[in-house]
């Protein structure tokens, strides 16, 4: 436990470049990450609209695109997945909010290694540009999916459009992103371990901090493996090695000179990263949602320690279940059984979390702010997506469902949309702290309901067409006769996607309108919350606590303490003040 | 619910009486643009975490090695150049000289520190040169990166280790040349400790890689 962190006596740099661009201030870096994710999410959504349009009207020319070939459809799918998973779901909840609020919530003046922090962001930015460049090179973007399965991803341009330079840029982008994530993870963990202020013991940390901390540990272990896998893939592509390319392949009527490599080796390495990545995306959301549910239920979080243990268990088990992505690969049924059992056991800590969220809500004086709506929406989506996960965790069921829209529905709901709801909840909750102005609650509530109903309208029908045998990754559903009756469902999902994505323009408007015209956050603690970020001005000064070192005397969720005058007791209040309920 | 002004937060912070932190550390003034100092052990924490990441990176390569070898067929063991024994010895000795240098630092023997630290850095450079010689010998024997899966792993593992060790050599050089500026955020003793732990880890990692190449093929 570190208590000797010195007060920050450094002042904000005044020059534009040092202050806003190459800043080492964790708050600026957090906002930079957030804005990067905001750009990325709109690029990713635009790609999904192009795909959805094509699925609903396969013979029509797609607006802003033209006629779409199957290869182009796969390229859009690959880029949509890669952009969303890495540059949105990994970037905003962890690097964005985590950077901004982790140091403040533990009472630190900045991250442990501010220059490294800046480097992490700018490498992530470069990785994003490198990835987007794949659209503009000969052959276009890669078509091998966000999982980049070998040998398709390893063979080079002979295997199809986008598999030349486009695929190389994809691998390089992921390698850069991995390096940036490793540096970020190192910073998060060190900061949490060594820069906590006086009294901030581990079990007084807000659950958001626990979530970012555990996520950083996962990222440290997982991205190192992705980096190694990416290196081997690059060598297969450009140095003639045969790590992943099997012998005897004939591609485009040409015998491939590689020998003896194993595509399954890529799958193992990729999913050893890829499964923890799912938790890297969702764990920060769990932290944010716990934080917000407690605040707007005006109750302590139900089972704080159980929440910490459950998150740790989810992360720990998450490192050992990568094989459940590979039930179809011909793995030994014994291995599949072990992976299946471990996977389903994740249901236990997940259920603990869900029950604790409901327990927090139970009997609370619930305030349905927009942030609260999104937090409860997260719980709904987490349950829905989690339940379909139990289906897929069983090899016998997965063999039927694996290549269908069931998987698309599952991971979009649990990993995509739930995590996005966590981001929205955090945005509506923390916006006044970050920018000193509120987002409009009225627009926010319309945004919530359109999004909440919209995402269910998009993704629930996918379960049903999957049960009818609809394969995923098909660019043209009219080419196969048994899919024809499902065309109307595609039509419905596409309309739902247009409306839902249209609703995000409301959010975009609210965000930028709020930045300049939103009502001012006069109070420093408008939600009457308990953690340290609500004890500093909005936005906080450059060094967060204006030269002070805060001290902490209690846990993070002391709402409605019996005998206290007010229904919230901030963490920094010593006992005498707390007894009087004075803030 | 009471409305509070924007300065309430700072007042709140003062309620605890002892909430004001210690005076600014020596050598710093108000208006200092540099980030605040952090506890010195945080540098070691950061390094240990970096080593955990590096370890995972190499474990991924080694697991790929084991799996790829297990597929059999085209695997043919790559002969390990004899110079690697010599290089290994150099790296082990460099760990000893590094500790000797750190003892000089503890004893406030600046010239002793500089001399032994310089020797360690030179041994690091010698190791890297030796690795390049090993690659040249293999290349002359017609064993290249893509010759065989075994040789692919040989080059990948030694190359990845070499790059990490190059980082270590640069760190050693910086610590050795930098002196001990009093205003530095990272004092020389911490820098030497962190660089030293990294260096020992690279030595240990090399021994593991060498044993794998020697016995694991």
């Amino acid at each position: 436990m570190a208590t000797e962190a010195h007060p920050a006596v450094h002042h904000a740099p005044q020059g534009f470049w040092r202050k806003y661009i190459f800043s080492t201030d964790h708050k600026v870096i957090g906002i930079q990450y957030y804005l990067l994710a905001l750009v990325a999410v709109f690029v990713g959504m635009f790609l999904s609209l192009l795909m959805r349009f094509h699925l609903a009207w396969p013979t029509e020319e797609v607006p802003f695109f033209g006629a779409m070939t199957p290869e182009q459809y796969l390229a859009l799918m690959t880029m949509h997945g890669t952009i969303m998973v890495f540059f949105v779901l990994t970037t905003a909840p962890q690097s964005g909010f985590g950077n901004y609020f982790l140091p403040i919530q533990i009472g630190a003046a900045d991250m442990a290694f501010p220059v490294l922090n800046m480097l992490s962001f700018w490498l992530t930015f470069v990785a994003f540009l490198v990835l987007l460049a794949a659209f503009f090179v000969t052959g276009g973007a890669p078509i091998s999916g966000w999982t980049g399965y070998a040998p398709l991803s390893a063979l080079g341009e002979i295997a199809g459009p986008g598999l030349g330079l486009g695929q190389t840029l994809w691998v390089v982008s992921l390698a850069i992103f991995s390096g940036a994530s490793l540096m970020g993870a190192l910073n998060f963990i060190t900061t949490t371990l060594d820069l906590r202020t006086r009294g901030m013991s581990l079990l007084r940390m807000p659950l958001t901090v626990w979530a970012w901390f555990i996520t950083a540990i996962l990222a440290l272990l997982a991205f190192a493996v992705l980096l190694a896998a990416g290196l081997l893939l690059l060598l297969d592509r450009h140095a003639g090695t045969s790590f992943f390319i099997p012998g005897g392949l004939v591609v485009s009527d040409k015998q491939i000179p590689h020998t003896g490599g194993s595509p399954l080796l890529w799958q193992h390495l990729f999913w050893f990263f890829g499964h923890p990545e799912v938790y890297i995306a969702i764990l920060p959301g769990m932290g944010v949602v716990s934080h917000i549910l407690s605040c707007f239920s005006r109750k302590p979080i139900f089972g704080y320690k159980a929440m910490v243990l459950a998150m740790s268990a989810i992360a720990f088990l998450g490192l050992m279940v990568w094989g459940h992505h590979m039930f179809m690969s011909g793995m030994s049924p014994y291995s599949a059984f072990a992976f299946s059992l471990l996977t389903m056991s994740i249901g236990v800590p997940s259920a603990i979390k869900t029950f604790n969220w409901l327990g927090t809500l139970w009997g609370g004086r619930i305030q349905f702010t927009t942030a609260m709506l999104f937090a409860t929406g997260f719980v709904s989506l987490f349950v829905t997506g989690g339940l379909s996960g139990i289906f897929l965790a069983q090899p016998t069921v997965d063999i039927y469902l694996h290549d269908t829209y069931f998987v698309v529905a599952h991971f979009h709901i649990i990993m995509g949309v739930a995590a996005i709801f966590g981001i929205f909840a955090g945005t509506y909750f923390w916006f006044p702290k970050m920018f000193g102005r509120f987002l409009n609650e009225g627009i926010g509530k319309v945004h919530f309901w359109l999004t909440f109903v919209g995402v269910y309208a998009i993704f629930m029908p996918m379960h049903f067409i999957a049960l009818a045998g609809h394969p995923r990754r098909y660019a043209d559903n009219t080419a196969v006769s048994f899919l024809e009756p499902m065309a109307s469902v595609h039509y419905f999902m596409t309309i739902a996607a247009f409306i839902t994505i249209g609703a995000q323009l409301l959010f975009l408007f609210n965000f930028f309108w709020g930045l300049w015209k939103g009502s001012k956050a006069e109070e420093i603690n408008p939600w009457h919350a308990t953690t340290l970020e609500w004890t500093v001005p909005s936005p906080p000064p450059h060094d967060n606590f204006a030269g002070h070192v805060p001290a902490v005397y209690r846990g993070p969720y002391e709402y409605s303490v019996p005998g206290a005058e007010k229904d919230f007791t901030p963490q920094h209040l010593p006992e005498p003040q707390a007894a009087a309920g004075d803030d | 619910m009471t409305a509070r002004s924007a300065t309430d937060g700072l007042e709140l912070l003062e309620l605890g009486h002892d909430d004001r932190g210690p005076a600014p550390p020596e050598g710093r003034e108000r208006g200092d643009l540099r980030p605040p100092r952090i506890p010195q052990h945080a540098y070691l924490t950061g390094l240990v975490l970096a080593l955990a990441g590096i370890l995972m990176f190499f474990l991924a390569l080694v697991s790929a090695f084991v799996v790829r070898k297990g597929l059999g067929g085209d695997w043919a063991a790559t002969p390990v150049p004899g110079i690697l024994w010599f290089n290994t010895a150099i790296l082990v000795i460099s760990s000893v000289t590094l500790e000797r240098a750190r003892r000089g630092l503890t004893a406030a023997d600046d010239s002793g520190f500089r001399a032994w630290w310089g020797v360690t850095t030179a041994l690091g450079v010698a190791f890297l040169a030796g690795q390049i010689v090993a690659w040249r010998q293999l290349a002359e024997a017609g064993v290249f990166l893509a010759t065989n899966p075994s040789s692919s792993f040989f080059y990948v593992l030694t190359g990845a280790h070499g790059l990490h060790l190059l980082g270590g050599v640069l760190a050693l050089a910086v610590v050795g040349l930098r002196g001990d500026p009093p205003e530095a955020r990272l004092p020389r003793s911490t820098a030497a400790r962190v660089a030293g732990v990294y260096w020992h880890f690279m030595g240990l990692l090399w021994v593991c890689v060498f044993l794998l190449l020697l016995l694991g093929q």
Side-chain angles (χ1 to χ4, degrees):
Chain A
M1 174 71 209
T3 56
E4 72 260 47
H6 294 298
V9 290
H10 61 309
H11 286 189
Q14 294 306 310
F16 174 79
W17 288 95
R18 285 285 311 279
K19 196 171 175 184
Y20 296 110
I21 309 297
F22 297 108
S23 171
T24 55
D25 183 336
H26 69 101
K27 296 184 290 300
V28 176
I29 294 170
I31 292 171
Q32 287 175 325
Y33 268 119
Y34 187 94
L35 293 178
L36 175 65
L38 196 63
V39 171
V41 79
F42 274 88
V43 174
M45 281 195 300
F46 177 68
L47 303 184
S48 68
L49 278 187
L50 297 179
M51 285 186 284
R52 285 287 354 150
F53 187 97
H54 182 66
L55 287 172
W57 299 285
T59 53
E60 303 286 323
E61 290 212 342
V62 181
F64 307 108
F65 192 86
M68 191 183 292
T69 64
E71 289 83 1
Q72 285 168 333
Y73 177 87
L74 289 175
L76 292 175
M77 186 198 71
T78 302
M79 294 295 273
H80 167 80
T82 310
I83 289 171
M84 290 299 205
V85 169
F86 291 98
F87 296 97
V88 179
L89 301 177
T90 311
T91 297
Q94 175 76 4
S95 308
F97 287 132
N99 249 310
Y100 199 107
F101 287 106
L102 187 143
I104 306 181
Q105 288 189 336
I106 62 169
D110 205 322
M111 282 284 184
F113 308 114
V115 176
L116 199 66
N117 203 16
M118 176 180 76
L119 201 58
S120 302
F121 169 74
W122 282 106
L123 279 179
T124 308
F125 182 77
V126 169
F128 185 58
L129 294 186
V130 171
L131 184 68
L132 289 188
F135 276 122
F136 306 101
V137 296
T138 313
I143 61 171
S144 57
W146 87 275
T147 55
Y149 270 11
L152 189 59
S153 60
L155 288 168
E157 58 193 332
I158 188 173
L163 297 171
L165 186 51
Q167 184 78 56
T168 299
L169 289 170
W170 180 89
V171 186
V172 170
S173 167
L174 260 53
I176 299 172
F177 189 91
S178 299
S181 297
L182 288 170
M183 290 192 283
L186 184 156
N187 226 338
F188 273 54
I189 301 171
T190 308
T191 306
T192 311
L193 288 179
D194 288 338
L195 296 195
R196 279 173 288 130
T197 193
R198 281 176 288 167
M200 182 60 82
S201 60
L202 284 174
L203 288 177
R204 280 182 181 167
M205 296 196 310
L207 287 172
T208 40
V209 175
W210 269 108
W212 291 318
F213 176 59
I214 293 169
T215 302
I217 296 172
L218 277 182
L220 186 72
L221 301 177
F223 275 105
V225 174
L226 181 65
L227 191 58
L231 171 70
L232 298 184
L233 185 59
L234 270 183
L235 291 176
D236 266 8
R237 292 177 56 76
H238 296 290
T241 57
S242 301
F243 296 110
F244 306 126
I245 305 175
L249 271 188
V250 176
V251 179
S252 308
D253 297 328
K254 258 187 75 179
Q255 171 93 31
I256 300 298
H258 296 263
T259 57
S262 165
L264 282 184
L265 179 58
W266 168 262
Q267 292 191 23
H268 277 292
L269 290 173
F270 182 84
W271 285 116
F272 185 86
F273 148 79
H275 196 75
E277 166 61 29
V278 173
Y279 294 108
I280 290 169
I282 197 73
L283 276 169
M286 292 178 174
V288 170
V289 164
S290 307
H291 200 67
I292 291 172
L293 285 183
S294 179
C295 176
F296 292 123
S297 299
R298 311 312 293 168
K299 275 181 65 190
I301 191 83
F302 189 94
Y304 172 87
K305 281 185 191 168
M307 289 301 236
V308 173
L309 286 174
M311 278 196 284
S312 310
I314 288 172
F316 179 70
L317 289 169
L319 281 168
M320 299 190 291
V321 297
W322 76 92
H324 72 216
H325 296 271
M326 301 165 57
F327 288 150
M328 298 290 282
S329 67
M331 68 162 59
S332 149
Y334 297 107
S335 307
F337 177 72
F339 280 124
S340 170
L341 211 60
L342 282 165
T343 303
M344 284 194 281
S345 66
I346 296 183
V348 176
S350 301
I352 290 173
K353 292 200 75 69
T354 306
F355 284 124
N356 285 359
W357 286 324
L358 298 179
T360 305
L361 290 167
W362 184 264
R365 282 180 295 114
I366 297 174
Q367 301 168 354
F368 276 116
T369 58
T370 308
M372 183 65 163
L373 286 172
F374 274 106
T376 45
F378 175 99
V379 177
S380 163
L381 290 158
F382 182 69
V383 171
T384 309
L387 287 176
S388 58
I390 295 176
F391 286 71
L392 296 171
Q394 300 168 69
T396 43
V397 182
D398 184 63
I399 282 170
Y400 179 76
L401 292 175
H402 186 83
D403 211 21
T404 71
Y405 266 92
F406 200 90
V407 176
V408 181
H410 164 69
F411 71 69
H412 272 94
I413 291 177
I414 190 88
M415 174 188 180
V417 184
I420 292 278
F421 269 50
I423 299 171
F424 281 141
T427 306
Y428 282 98
F429 185 67
W430 280 317
F431 195 88
K433 182 54 61 188
M434 295 167 80
F435 301 109
R437 288 175 188 273
F438 286 97
L439 287 173
N440 184 292
E441 283 282 303
I443 300 176
K445 283 172 185 168
V446 174
H447 171 225
F448 167 77
W449 284 110
L450 285 174
T451 308
F452 185 68
V453 175
V455 292
Y456 271 113
I458 299 168
F459 295 112
M460 278 310 274
M462 288 187 185
H463 295 95
F464 303 115
I465 60 171
L467 293 178
H470 198 316
R472 55 182 168 140
R473 298 189 170 192
Y474 274 30
D476 183 357
N477 305 308
T478 56
V480 188
S481 60
F482 85 95
L483 296 178
E484 275 173 20
M486 291 177 240
S488 57
V489 185
H490 274 295
Y491 186 75
F492 175 82
M493 292 189 292
T494 296
I495 299 292
F498 271 89
I499 294 172
T500 312
I501 291 177
Q504 306 320 304
L505 297 177
L506 278 180
F507 171 74
L508 203 61
F509 168 77
N510 202 355
F511 188 90
F512 287 104
W513 186 81
L515 277 182
W516 285 285
K517 299 281 181 188
S519 60
K520 282 198 172 170
E522 304 284 355
E523 295 182 51
I524 59 158
N525 186 6
W527 311 122
H528 293 178
T530 50
T531 42
L532 288 181
E533 77 267 34
W534 303 107
T535 65
V536 291
S538 313
H542 177 61
D543 57 8
N544 299 338
F545 297 95
H548 298 69
V549 178
V552 164
Y553 300 93
R554 59 191 67 252
Y557 299 113
E558 299 209 355
Y559 290 102
S560 305
V561 176
E565 189 183 310
K566 296 213 166 75
D567 70 347
F568 65 106
T569 316
Q571 282 195 281
H572 66 284
L573 283 195
E575 289 301 332
Q577 277 86 354
D582 187 3
D583 66 338
Chain B
M1 292 184 182
T2 51
R4 280 179 275 145
S5 73
T7 55
D8 273 3
L10 302 180
E11 289 161 12
L12 285 172
L13 286 169
E14 285 161 16
L15 280 177
H17 306 299
D18 58 346
D19 282 336
R20 278 196 179 276
E26 220 167 296
R28 294 175 68 86
E29 297 164 2
R30 292 200 72 80
D32 193 341
L33 287 184
R34 288 167 301 156
R37 280 178 185 240
I38 58 171
Q40 294 299 297
H41 60 85
Y43 290 102
L44 198 62
T45 309
L47 177 80
V48 169
L49 293 168
L51 295 183
I54 291 170
L55 186 64
M56 283 305 290
F57 176 83
F58 277 91
L59 280 178
L61 293 179
V62 170
S63 71
F65 178 104
V66 172
V67 169
R68 185 64 179 82
K69 187 192 166 204
L71 294 174
D74 55 342
W75 186 280
T78 302
V80 173
I83 191 172
L84 289 192
W85 286 96
F86 179 70
N87 294 349
T88 307
I90 285 181
L91 210 51
V92 171
I93 292 168
S94 77
S95 268
V96 177
T97 57
L98 184 132
E99 278 310 305
R100 182 70 191 76
R102 284 194 55 212
R103 212 180 302 155
L105 199 61
T106 327
D109 170 14
D110 190 62
S111 59
F113 164 75
R114 283 176 184 279
W116 285 107
W117 197 264
V119 170
T120 309
T121 314
L123 287 174
V125 174
F127 173 85
L128 286 176
Q131 296 293 82
I132 292 169
V133 171
W135 290 331
R136 290 184 66 109
Q137 286 177 353
L138 276 182
E140 277 162 19
V143 180
F144 299 98
L145 178 67
T147 304
N148 185 272
S150 160
S151 69
S152 303
F153 276 108
F154 186 96
Y155 281 103
V156 167
L157 285 167
T158 53
H161 175 266
L163 271 179
H164 282 87
L165 196 104
L166 178 64
V169 169
L170 294 175
L172 290 182
V174 168
V175 174
L177 294 174
R178 185 180 81 140
D180 194 12
E183 75 281 8
R185 198 169 177 245
L186 179 63
R188 185 163 70 176
S189 56
T190 310
R193 186 165 177 224
V194 168
V197 172
Y198 183 80
W199 192 255
H200 292 320
F201 182 84
M202 280 303 132
L204 191 65
L205 184 64
W206 169 251
V207 172
C208 295
V209 168
F210 184 51
L211 286 176
L212 180 75
L213 297 175
L214 205 61
L215 308 172
Q217 297 196 62

